[in-house]
């Protein structure tokens, strides 16, 4: 822990994207050298359970964006998390938007990014994930499906990436909610979303039968927008929803970088994303599992997402400030909270606040 905090202090002196790249490589190298403090997920009968037929040791996951190119899959699976999600991955390599495009907001425990789906492309990323699997990386791994900026058929891009990862990924997330690709969020409309979802499900049925396809939505939808998302998802038959991506809102921020363009993540997003999650839970009535993302940095906040309707949760921005060991601390703290409230499993607590 002391070594981790010292490393974080050094990284805070560097340009944020450079710091993240170094941290990711260091994270992977420490795991490969056997120097990391854990060697797998936090395991606890109270935390474990199957979702979509996949065995999750615990419900704490690392969100997409942390490891875009599958460079630290084994490290992510070894640091205490129950699952990791890589990407977003596009069919062709993509540089993304010009730098600087990642900004720390330390006074707000937040970050703003306008990456624009920068990644090495599906061939390079899939090959790296396949190598990790070959070395024995056996935890649950999802792939966040992206579309190239210049693509005229984004649904086809999603389907192509899904097909390429069919043999090495466990679930697929259709990203229609990044604010950094022009007009991408237009795909959250009812007709457009249903069409994209059906295209991806058809690709899944052809290449990876039975593997779950979930859709990640924005936190900036109004009530009508949530109605459309829930209706489209259920009509198309997707396997779950992820609430939420980053926000374009800028409410009561203190840090100097608050005016930067892009998606805001971290602590200020917690209440907004949890409200969207709660709204989806009411609309879907338990028919599909939900993943809660946005602003989680304590076990209590992870627990609040679960009580609002999430079966799984993910974090990313808090790791910028607390390091990757945060995943294990959250899992251990969540177990204590479940025990305190008399729940023998995570699944018993899902949506508890909606039943109160």
């Amino acid at each position: 822990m002391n070594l981790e905090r010292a490393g974080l202090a050094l990284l805070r002196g560097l340009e944020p994207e450079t710091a993240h790249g170094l941290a990711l490589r260091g994270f992977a190298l420490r795991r490969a050298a056997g120097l990391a403090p854990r060697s797998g997920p936090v395991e606890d009968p109270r935390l474990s359970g199957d979702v979509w037929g996949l065995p999750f040791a615990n419900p704490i996951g690392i969100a997409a964006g942390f490891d875009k190119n599958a460079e630290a899959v084994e490290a992510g699976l070894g640091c205490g998390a129950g699952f990791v999600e890589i990407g977003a991955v596009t069919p062709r390599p993509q540089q993304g938007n010009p730098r600087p495009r990642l900004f720390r907001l330390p006074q707000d425990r937040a970050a703003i990014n306008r990456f624009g789906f920068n990644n090495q492309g599906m061939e390079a990323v899939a090959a790296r994930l396949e190598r990790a699997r070959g070395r024995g990386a056996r935890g649950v791994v999802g792939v966040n499906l992206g579309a190239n900026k210049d693509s005229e058929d984004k649904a086809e891009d999603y389907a192509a990436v899904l097909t390429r990862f069919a043999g090495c990924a466990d679930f697929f997330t259709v990203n229609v909610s990044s604010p950094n690709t022009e007009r991408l969020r237009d795909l959250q409309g009812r007709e457009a979303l249903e069409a994209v979802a059906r295209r991806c499900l058809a690709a899944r049925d052809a290449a990876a039968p039975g593997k779950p396809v979930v859709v990640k939505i924005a936190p900036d939808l109004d009530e009508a927008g949530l109605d459309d998302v829930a209706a489209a998802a259920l009509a198309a038959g997707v396997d779950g929803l992820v609430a939420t991506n980053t926000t374009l809102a800028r409410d009561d921020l203190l840090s100097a970088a608050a005016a930067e363009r892009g998606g805001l993540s971290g602590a200020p997003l917690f209440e907004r994303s949890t409200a969207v999650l709660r709204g989806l839970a009411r609309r879907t009535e338990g028919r599909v599992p939900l993943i809660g993302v946005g602003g989680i940095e304590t076990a209590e906040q992870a627990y609040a997402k679960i009580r609002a309707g999430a079966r799984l949760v993910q974090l990313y921005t808090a790791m910028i400030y607390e390091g990757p060991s945060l995943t294990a601390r959250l899992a251990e703290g969540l177990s204590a909270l479940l025990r305190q409230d008399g729940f023998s499993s995570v699944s018993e607590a899902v949506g508890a606040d909606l039943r109160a």
Side-chain angles (χ1 to χ4, degrees):
M1 180 66 69
N2 289 336
L3 180 61
E4 182 178 66
R5 291 202 176 279
L8 290 170
L10 289 172
L11 290 170
R12 280 194 286 272
L14 301 176
E15 186 271 332
E17 188 170 349
T18 299
H20 180 74
L22 289 172
L24 192 65
R25 285 190 286 277
F27 184 37
L29 288 171
R30 286 183 69 212
R31 179 66 49 194
L35 299 176
R38 295 196 65 89
S39 59
V42 171
E43 295 184 335
D44 182 324
R46 204 179 301 272
L47 298 177
S48 64
D50 285 2
V51 184
W52 306 301
L54 298 172
F56 288 82
N58 68 69
I60 308 294
I62 298 176
F66 178 76
D67 185 7
K68 290 176 177 291
N69 294 305
E71 296 173 291
V73 171
E74 292 149 297
L77 293 172
C79 73
F83 66 108
V84 301
E85 184 175 334
I86 63 170
V89 184
T90 56
R92 290 174 281 111
Q94 186 161 278
Q95 290 187 348
N97 294 320
R99 297 174 68 161
R101 55 195 179 182
L102 175 64
F103 307 88
R104 300 187 196 97
L105 280 69
Q107 291 174 274
D108 303 290
R109 303 281 292 182
I112 291 172
N113 88 80
R114 50 174 180 263
F115 284 125
F117 284 170
N118 58 307
N119 72 105
Q120 295 170 6
M122 65 181 184
E123 292 299 334
V125 181
R128 193 173 291 116
L129 179 55
E130 288 164 348
R131 289 195 294 272
R133 292 297 204 190
R135 290 190 297 265
R138 291 289 177 260
V140 176
V141 179
V143 176
N144 193 281
L145 310 178
N148 284 115
K149 184 177 181 179
D150 60 354
S151 173
E152 295 184 3
D153 188 346
K154 289 183 168 47
E156 179 57 30
D157 279 14
Y158 295 136
V161 179
L162 187 156
T163 300
R164 179 61 184 88
F165 282 88
C168 57
D170 298 301
F171 71 92
F172 308 98
T173 301
V174 183
N175 189 340
V176 293
S177 52
S178 169
N180 301 315
T181 296
E182 187 176 358
R183 301 192 65 82
L184 188 72
R185 287 190 170 187
D186 291 352
L187 297 178
Q188 293 177 119
R190 183 167 181 171
E191 290 185 9
L193 180 57
E194 189 172 339
V196 167
R198 289 187 185 281
R199 189 90 161 267
C200 291
L201 290 166
R204 183 274 310 275
D205 291 344
K211 291 191 176 183
V213 173
V214 302
V215 174
K216 188 169 188 175
I217 69 166
D220 304 320
L221 294 168
D222 58 16
E223 293 297 313
L226 285 177
D227 289 342
D228 284 346
V229 163
L234 293 173
V238 301
D239 300 290
L241 289 161
V242 185
T244 65
N245 214 314
T246 57
T247 181
L248 294 172
R250 299 288 189 270
D251 300 328
D252 303 319
L253 300 177
L254 301 173
S255 303
E260 292 290 346
R261 292 180 295 102
L264 173 74
S265 60
L269 182 56
F270 178 76
E271 295 296 340
R272 179 184 291 265
S273 61
T274 305
V276 169
L277 169 68
R278 191 178 299 113
L280 280 180
R282 290 195 179 103
R283 288 167 170 84
T284 56
E285 300 177 320
R287 282 175 280 181
V288 294
L290 305 179
I291 302 177
V293 196
I296 297 172
E297 51 182 9
T298 67
E300 289 77 10
Q301 289 174 319
Y303 188 37
K305 297 275 191 191
I306 290 166
R307 292 183 64 101
R311 177 57 182 83
L312 303 167
V313 298
Q314 292 177 313
L315 62 149
Y316 169 12
T317 303
M319 294 169 64
I320 294 173
Y321 297 102
E322 296 294 327
S325 67
L326 179 62
T327 57
R329 300 200 300 275
L330 293 191
E332 291 162 357
L334 176 60
S335 179
L337 291 167
L338 291 166
R339 183 172 59 252
Q340 172 185 295
D341 286 351
F343 293 116
S344 62
S345 68
V346 173
S347 58
E348 287 182 6
V350 173
D353 288 345
L354 304 180
R355 301 190 293 271

